[in-house]
Amino acid sequence: MLSERSKVSHRSIVDFERGAREPRVLTKEALARALEAAGVEFIPENGGGAGVRLKKGGKID
């Protein structure tokens, strides 16, 4: 679960998703690290907008 892997509370993640509050920089970094460890790759903006994808050979467990 993302909250366990990132050490960010489930309630906080729900609030971020519904736009009730903005995450702090350290919280965003913790979430990004947890997602990257799970195989997510963040793609920089290249004219078509930023995005995400699974790393080659990656799988989400």
Side-chain angles (χ1 to χ4, degrees):
M1 180 181 270
L2 180 59
S3 61
E4 293 170 359
R5 291 182 182 201
S6 65
K7 307 280 192 267
V8 175
S9 75
H10 177 75
R11 178 81 255 156
S12 292
I13 293 171
V14 169
D15 286 348
F16 303 150
E17 289 176 339
R18 66 185 183 95
R21 61 184 172 134
E22 281 290 315
R24 295 179 178 171
V25 171
L26 291 176
T27 303
K28 289 179 184 181
E29 291 170 351
L31 292 168
R33 279 192 305 274
L35 291 167
E36 287 170 340
V40 172
E41 181 178 8
F42 291 91
I43 304 164
E45 193 166 334
N46 61 1
V52 295
R53 66 177 170 215
L54 284 178
K55 292 179 184 173
K56 189 171 184 175
K59 61 182 177 180
I60 302 291
D61 46 56

